[in-house]
Amino acid sequence: MVLRAVGILLCAAFLQAQDVRLQILETTDVHGHVLPQDTFTLQPAPGGWARLGTLIRNLRAANPNTLVVDGGDGTQGEPMDYVWSHLKPGAPEPTMALLNALGYNAMVVGHAEFDNGLKLLRTMEEQARFPWLAANVCFASTGKHAFTPYVKVEVAGVQVAILGLVTQALPRLVGPEATEGLAFQDPVACAREFLPILREHEKVDLVVVALHGGMGSAPCGTDEENPALCLARNVKGIDLILAGHTRQQVSTRENGVPILQAGTGGQVLGVADLTLRRGKARWEVAACETRLVQPGAELEPDPAVLLATSDMRALTETYLNTLATTLGTDLDGRWCRMEDTPLAHLLHTVVRSATDAQITAVPAPGSRLFIPKGPTSVRQFYALAPDEETLARIRVTGGQLRAYLEQAARYFAFSHLPDLFNRAAAPDAFDTLDGCTYALDISRPAGSRVVELNVQGKPVKDDQTFSLGLTSRRLRGEGGYLEAMGWRGTPETVTGTSLRNLLLAYVMARPNLTVGEAGNWRIIPALDRERVLAQQP
Ligand SMILES: [Zn+2]
């Protein structure tokens, strides 16, 4: 009781009568997650817009002087995004519908919003009842801004500007087609141009930068993709940075500037509590505290979020529950890293038929994926390739093929070590090949583990050439395979359709499907199933 009284006295002394308490809330990288459950396993999962919505309303009720900003990548990541963009693009887009329902003040454009091309991007933007911000994106032909650069909002007499900036790496991330006709400027230089406009011309009291980009590294110029630290160090006059894109959770200060970044999937909400005090010329920041708040399991889902997304969620459920095929074989992800399996063989078959390549490469599916024989649904196959990655065919030499397999073999530590797996490799970085036979001896040092490599029964020579079908993710460099091969060039073909849709088309064209296996590769020494089961990532 005594302690509480002291606390109230201290607060009263600190908060002067004319002070304004302002609250800025940030969501970012939610990627279409609405319900607090996993779409594929249907098990409870943290995060999602439904609980975030309730948390936002609770915080706004506690302090009505509240602004809500999204840091981008709010869409793309869930089957619902696919159903809207590919099957029902004329319907209201569910993420914009729920952001409208929650009364967002602004959103900075994320790279995911470009994924389905500029036409659907503009469709989403038109449906938003708040501005889509990006001050550093212009039309290349005219130099005019392609999005709203900033928005000015008055809250309790305080003039607030929210300036939007996006990562300059965006064209590289989404490809040239999706950004055709647009020019991306350096966000730091752009912020330097806008700060005097906001302070002197617009006479704002508070400048918030909403950045679709992460913290990055200092000194500047080494990480163009994530310039939050650069902005804090090199641009005078920013009161708060709301970062995003890298899915990190951040609540910190750099060079005195508070930086917030609300992770991914709606697992946390970024909260900035500011105290504004009347200065000689304008309101000044007397205090700014940032924190990350979890939307806990005790929060009921927000009814308006549920309503705004109900039609598209229902369509998505119908789609995911569609009968895919009746399987005559279990598809089991557990053994895909130790031997050829029906599951990996099915993926190789799809890559071969789509790319017409002699040799195919696929990443080993997750070790927890399991589709039991019997009737199966679209949901089960969707979980195998949830991203929109496509396939390509490239031409490689026999030497490059060997280098590809050496890279795959780096997934393992020495066979005699207690831990069988190289923990520095990404969990999805082990690829297998089909169309050749090979053996990887993991008792040997990395780089000399391919002890057998044959095509049509004959040893592969370094100067032979082959066509190789692989995923777009590998073609972008993920897993280090391109670098290991020293491959540069242009693919012979790229499929316009995603691996997932090619897989679904293949299985749905066969009411009954029994999958065999090629048994075309082995690991030396033969691995023990119990050891693989206990240790694999
Ligand atoms: Zn992004």
Side-chain angles (χ1 to χ4, degrees):
M1 198 62 189
V2 175
L3 277 176
R4 182 176 290 179
V6 171
I8 290 166
L9 278 176
L10 284 176
C11 283
F14 180 69
L15 264 181
Q16 294 181 8
Q18 67 274 36
D19 285 354
V20 169
R21 277 181 56 238
L22 212 149
Q23 178 173 245
I24 296 175
L25 307 179
E26 189 215 26
T27 54
T28 190
D29 297 76
V30 183
H31 285 288
H33 295 288
V34 176
L35 300 181
Q37 72 173 25
D38 184 290
T39 307
F40 302 116
T41 63
L42 301 176
Q43 296 300 305
W49 292 110
R51 279 189 190 145
L52 274 180
T54 305
L55 181 58
I56 289 168
R57 286 189 205 278
N58 290 350
L59 288 168
R60 192 189 270 134
N63 181 0
N65 299 335
T66 294
L67 294 175
V68 194
V69 181
D70 186 74
D73 287 1
T75 63
Q76 290 297 103
E78 283 287 316
M80 184 174 72
D81 297 307
Y82 167 76
V83 169
W84 177 75
S85 60
H86 287 74
L87 307 180
K88 286 277 170 188
E93 197 280 322
T95 298
M96 291 311 116
L98 75 89
L99 295 181
N100 286 339
L102 290 171
Y104 270 65
N105 297 90
M107 175 191 118
V108 61
V109 190
H111 86 272
E113 277 73 62
F114 286 81
D115 275 356
N116 294 308
L118 284 172
K119 188 163 172 275
L120 283 187
L121 177 145
R122 293 300 185 193
T123 302
M124 291 193 282
E125 187 186 13
E126 280 163 21
Q127 291 177 16
R129 291 201 297 265
F130 48 85
W132 276 34
L133 305 177
N136 63 324
V137 186
C138 294
F139 292 109
S141 55
T142 60
K144 288 191 173 146
H145 288 284
F147 298 93
T148 308
Y150 62 87
V151 62
K152 205 172 131 184
V153 192
E154 187 183 316
V155 188
V158 177
Q159 302 291 333
V160 184
I162 306 165
L163 174 70
L165 297 168
V166 305
T167 172
Q168 209 179 355
L170 201 145
R172 174 168 60 75
L173 294 169
V174 301
E177 257 174 60
T179 51
E180 203 180 340
L182 299 178
F184 292 74
Q185 300 167 321
D186 171 24
V188 177
C190 181
R192 278 207 196 98
E193 281 172 33
F194 270 95
L195 257 295
I197 296 172
L198 299 176
R199 291 292 187 196
E200 286 149 33
H201 179 68
E202 294 283 8
K203 309 269 183 221
V204 303
D205 302 298
L206 190 75
V207 175
V208 178
V209 168
L211 167 71
H212 189 74
M215 298 292 282
S217 55
C220 296
T222 56
D223 191 352
E224 55 155 18
E225 190 166 344
N226 299 300
L229 288 177
C230 286
L231 283 165
R233 286 190 177 194
N234 295 297
V235 184
K236 279 206 179 77
I238 299 174
D239 294 302
L240 172 67
I241 295 174
L242 306 174
H245 179 58
T246 50
R247 306 186 172 199
Q248 287 164 295
Q249 296 186 7
V250 178
S251 170
T252 188
R253 263 174 199 271
E254 175 69 20
N255 192 27
V257 182
I259 307 176
L260 255 183
Q261 186 178 341
T264 186
Q267 297 190 8
V268 289
L269 178 75
V271 181
D273 291 303
L274 296 110
T275 304
L276 279 293
R277 188 162 297 161
R278 195 71 235 182
K280 276 184 194 138
R282 61 179 179 90
W283 290 94
E284 287 165 4
V285 179
C288 177
E289 300 292 334
T290 60
R291 61 199 159 106
L292 298 166
V293 182
Q294 288 182 354
E298 76 285 357
L299 295 176
E300 289 295 321
D302 182 76
V305 170
L306 295 183
L307 185 64
T309 55
S310 64
D311 288 355
M312 201 54 65
R313 283 189 294 112
L315 278 172
T316 305
E317 281 304 297
T318 303
Y319 171 67
L320 291 175
N321 291 333
T322 306
L323 177 72
T325 183
T326 300
L327 273 178
T329 327
D330 285 342
L331 298 179
D332 191 337
R334 285 177 299 174
W335 319 120
C336 292
R337 288 157 179 78
M338 62 181 283
E339 62 198 23
D340 189 37
T341 59
L343 177 52
H345 190 64
L346 172 64
L347 292 171
H348 279 294
T349 306
V350 170
V351 176
R352 172 159 298 108
S353 73
T355 62
D356 203 22
Q358 281 169 285
I359 295 172
T360 54
V362 299
S367 54
R368 284 173 198 83
L369 276 165
F370 180 67
I371 310 179
K373 64 183 169 191
T376 59
S377 66
V378 166
R379 189 190 311 269
Q380 288 168 293
F381 286 96
Y382 203 110
L384 262 176
D387 301 327
E388 301 300 322
E389 67 177 323
T390 55
L391 300 172
R393 188 181 73 222
I394 64 172
R395 190 145 284 275
V396 296
T397 65
Q400 287 175 320
L401 209 54
R402 198 179 307 275
Y404 201 102
L405 286 172
E406 288 292 355
Q407 182 65 16
R410 285 175 204 277
Y411 196 75
F412 292 92
F414 277 118
S415 53
H416 63 270
L417 292 179
D419 193 347
L420 188 57
F421 296 95
N422 167 13
R423 301 291 164 183
D428 59 353
F430 182 66
D431 280 18
T432 62
L433 297 186
D434 194 45
C436 56
T437 57
Y438 61 95
L440 309 175
D441 183 349
I442 60 170
S443 69
R444 296 164 65 99
S448 60
R449 290 175 159 181
V450 181
V451 292
E452 192 186 302
L453 174 57
N454 298 311
V455 171
Q456 291 178 329
K458 289 184 188 142
V460 168
K461 296 194 185 88
D462 280 356
D463 58 355
Q464 275 181 283
T465 64
F466 302 96
S467 58
L468 174 68
L470 74 181
T471 63
S472 56
R473 181 174 286 183
R474 291 292 178 254
L475 198 60
R476 281 200 306 271
E478 284 187 30
Y481 284 89
L482 278 200
E483 199 186 341
M485 288 195 294
W487 189 92
R488 276 187 201 83
T490 317
E492 293 176 344
T493 53
V494 179
T495 61
T497 311
S498 66
L499 168 60
R500 182 185 66 250
N501 281 349
L502 292 164
L503 172 68
L504 282 169
Y506 181 87
V507 301
M508 291 171 88
R510 292 160 176 81
N512 293 288
L513 178 63
T514 296
V515 188
E517 58 198 52
N520 64 311
W521 61 276
R522 67 200 161 98
I523 285 180
I524 302 168
L527 299 179
D528 178 61
R529 284 201 163 203
E530 292 303 316
R531 195 174 171 208
V532 168
L533 196 60
Q535 295 188 352
Q536 71 181 343

